[in-house]
Amino acid sequence: MTTQTTAPKKTGAPAPGDASGLIGIPAGLGRALATGGGVLTVVSTFLAWTWTAEFPGDLTVYGYPGGLQVLVLIAGALTALFGLASYGVKGLGWLAPAGADAALKFAALAAFATTWYTIIAISTKLGGVVNLEPGGYIAAAVTLVAFLGALALPFERPEPDPFDPDDTGWDQFKHTSSQNWQTVRAAFASKEPPPLRALPSYVEILVIVATLAVALLVFTYGIGTEYDELFIGFLIVAGFGFTALHRSGLIVHVTEITARHQNITVCGGFIAAACFPFTQSDDQYATLGVYILIFATVALGLNIVVGLAGLLDLGYVAFLGVGAYAASMVSGSPSSPFDLHLPFWAAVLVGAAASLVFGVLIGAPTLRLRGDYLAIVTLGFGEIFRITANNLDGTSGPDVTNGSNGISSIPDLKILGFDLGVSHDMGGFTLGRFANYFLLMLIITAVVVLVFRRSGDSRIGRAWVAIREDETAALAMGINGFRVKLIAFAVGASLAGLAGTVQAHVTYTVTPEQYLFAGTTPPNSAFLLAAVVLGGMGTIAGPLIGAALLFLIPNKLQFLDDYQLLAFGLALVLLMRFRPEGLIANRRRKLEFHEEDEAPAVLSKTGA
C-alpha cells in the first residue's frame, strides 16, 4: 500500500488556445474581448444614449456622462483594469492579488447588467428602442461582447500553493492523525489569497484612509440617488463590483490591514461618518442617516445577545420602545403623565435604566430556557409590551402611555445651551435639525461600539462565546450559564434603551405601532435580527453595515408598492444562499459555512 500526496496547485491562466470557460472560445481571445469591451464601455458613456431629456439623468449630452452612464463608466473601468491585471501589466498587481479572472467576470457582468437595464428602462419609459441614440446601441453591444469574453475565462480563480511538496515539513503533515489532517487540509486548501506582504505603517494608514473615503463616497451616492432607476443601477454596480473586488483578493487584503490597525480604523470610521452631514445641502438625506444610525445602534446591541451569547431574541425591539417611552415621559412632553422636564443626560440615564430593569425582569425567569423555547418567550414579551402600551390609555387601564396616540409633542433636545432642533452654521456649513441629531447619535453609537469591544474582549465576553458554542460544555467547565446570559440580556437591553432616548426626540412622538415584531419598514424585531445575521454575527462592522442596507433599501424600493417585500425577501434569500456567514464574518463562522468548499480532497491511496 502506497500513499500519494497531491499538494494543491495553482490553476493559473490557461494557454491561449485553451477553452476552459463557460463558452467554447479560447481563453486568450476571451480575455482580449473582455478587456477591449471594458475600454469601449468607458468610451460609450461619453456618447448620447437617447435623444430626449425626459429620461432621468439627461443622457443626451455628448462628452459628459450623466445618471446611469456614470455607473456604467465605473463598471467599465473596473472591467478594463481587471482585464489589464490579468495580462500582468506592471503596477496593477495590487488590484488582483488572488488572480483577476474571476474578478473580471463579475466586473463585466456589472457593466453588462447595468447597461442593458438602462437600455430596457429607456425603451420602456419612452416607448421603444427607437428612442435610443447610437451611443446606447454601442454600449449595449460592447458590454455584451465583454461579458461573453469574460465567460471564456477559466472558471476557477488561481489559488496559492500552501506548501512546497519538497519541503521536509510536508512529510510531517502526511503522518498527522486523520482528524487533525482534515483540519489542516481545510485551512491550507482555503481559497483565500496569500498573506499580504507587510507594508510600511504609513502606507497601510493611507490605505485605510482611502478605503474609508471610498466607503463614504459610495454611501453618500447611494443615499442621495434622486430617482428609482438610478438606485437600482447603483445596487447592481455595487453588488457585482464588491463581489469582483472580493474575488480579486483586494477586499481580503484590505481587511488584513485594518485588522492590524483596529483602533485607527474604528476612529477613522467615525470621523468619516461625522463628515456625512457636511456633504448634504439640506436635511433630506440626513434624515435617513440619523434613522440608519438609530437602527444600527440597536442592531449592535442585539449582536451582544445573539452574536456573542447565542440567545435568539425575537422581541428585542421592545427594549427600544421601553427606552423611548421612559425618556419621553421625563422630557417635558404635554402628553406625559409626569410633570418632569429633565436635562438630556438624565433622560438618557432614565431610558437606559428602564430598559435594563425590564431586561433583567424578563430575562430572570426565562433565560433558563434554550433555543426555540427562549425565542418564543421573547417573541411573546415583545407583543406583550406593544399591547400593554396600547391599553394604558385611561380606558382599558391606567392612563400612562396615552394608548394608541402615544406620547406626542416631545421637545427637541438642548445640550449645554445647544438646541438640536434649529439649524446652526459651522465652518461655512449649515447643519439642520437631523444633521444635529445625526452627530449626537454618532456619539452614542461610539459609546455602544466601545461597550461591545470591551465586553467582547473581556472575561465575560469569552464566557458568552463559550455559551454560544456549547452551553453544556461551558457549564461543565464551571461557567455560571444563567448569570452570564442574564448579563448579556441586561447589557443588550440597556444599549437599546440608550438609542430609544434619541429616537423619541427625533420622531417627536412615541406610539406602540413603532415597535412591531415585523413590518414593512424598520426598526422592528425581524429587521433587527436580519441586520445582525446579514451583516455578520459577533462582529462590530457587520450589524452596522447590515442595518444600513436593511433601512436604506426598503426606503428606496417604495416604488415597488406591494412587491417591495417580495423583492427584498428574494434578495435576502440569495445573499444567505451565497454568503450565509454574513457580509462581515469572522474566520470561525466562515469555516463553519464553507468547510467543504475550502477542504477539497488532496489525498488518494492506491493499492500496491
Side-chain angles (χ1 to χ4, degrees), residues 30-32 34-36 38-39 74-89 92-110 150 153 237 240-251:
R31 185 174 287 104
T35 306
V39 174
I74 295 173
L78 276 178
T79 304
L81 289 174
F82 281 125
L84 294 175
S86 67
Y87 280 106
V89 175
L92 292 179
W94 60 270
L95 185 62
D101 286 347
L104 181 56
K105 292 179 184 179
F106 283 97
L109 178 58
L153 299 178
V237 173
F240 289 123
F242 179 83
T243 305
L245 294 174
H246 177 72
R247 289 299 185 92
S248 71
L250 185 61
I251 298 295

Side-chain angles (χ1 to χ4, degrees), residues 189-202:
S190 172
K191 293 183 179 181
E192 297 296 339
L196 181 65
R197 179 176 58 87
L199 300 173
S201 296
Y202 72 92

Side-chain angles (χ1 to χ4, degrees), residues 415-440:
I415 304 175
L416 300 177
F418 189 87
D419 191 349
L420 274 65
V422 299
S423 299
H424 298 274
D425 292 330
M426 184 179 299
F429 296 91
T430 299
L431 299 180
R433 177 178 183 270
F434 287 101
N436 296 331
Y437 278 106
F438 179 90
L439 295 176
L440 172 63

Side-chain angles (χ1 to χ4, degrees), residues 13-20 24-29 31 152:
D18 292 345
S20 57
I25 65 175
L29 177 60
R31 185 174 287 104

Side-chain angles (χ1 to χ4, degrees), residues 376-417:
I376 293 173
V377 170
T378 55
L379 174 61
F381 163 65
E383 291 301 300
I384 289 172
F385 164 76
R386 182 180 60 84
I387 295 173
T388 301
N390 201 38
N391 289 336
L392 296 180
D393 56 357
T395 301
S396 302
D399 187 8
V400 178
T401 63
N402 204 22
S404 59
N405 294 324
I407 308 296
S408 59
S409 302
I410 302 172
D412 283 305
L413 290 172
K414 293 183 179 180
I415 304 175
L416 300 177

Side-chain angles (χ1 to χ4, degrees), residues 127-211:
V129 295
V130 68
N131 294 282
L132 295 177
E133 286 288 290
Y137 293 106
I138 293 174
V142 296
T143 53
L144 177 60
V145 170
F147 181 53
L148 292 178
L151 292 180
L153 299 178
F155 187 74
E156 293 291 341
R157 65 188 176 96
E159 300 175 7
D161 282 325
F163 282 113
D164 180 2
D166 295 330
D167 197 328
T168 56
W170 182 260
D171 295 331
Q172 298 178 2
F173 283 100
K174 289 197 300 181
H175 300 291
T176 310
S177 65
S178 175
Q179 181 177 0
N180 291 339
W181 172 248
Q182 294 294 333
T183 304
V184 172
R185 186 177 63 184
F188 294 141
S190 172
K191 293 183 179 181
E192 297 296 339
L196 181 65
R197 179 176 58 87
L199 300 173
S201 296
Y202 72 92
V203 175
E204 293 187 341
I205 293 175
L206 290 177
V207 170
I208 294 173
V209 172
T211 302

Side-chain angles (χ1 to χ4, degrees), residues 364-377:
T366 61
L367 286 179
R368 299 188 187 278
L369 301 175
R370 298 188 188 182
D372 299 338
Y373 303 101
L374 177 61
I376 293 173
V377 170

Side-chain angles (χ1 to χ4, degrees), residues 291 294-296 298-299 302 313-321 379 382-383 386 503 512-532 547 550-551 554 564-565 568 572:
Y291 284 118
I294 293 173
F295 186 29
V298 180
L302 178 61
D313 189 348
L314 298 181
Y316 188 75
V317 74
F319 298 122
L320 176 68
L379 174 61
E383 291 301 300
R386 182 180 60 84
Q503 185 207 27
E513 288 72 20
Q514 296 175 346
Y515 309 104
L516 301 172
F517 166 71
T520 57
T521 57
N524 54 63
S525 293
F527 271 77
L528 287 171
L529 184 61
V532 174
L550 290 185
F551 191 94
Q564 175 184 350
L565 286 180
F568 185 64
L572 288 181

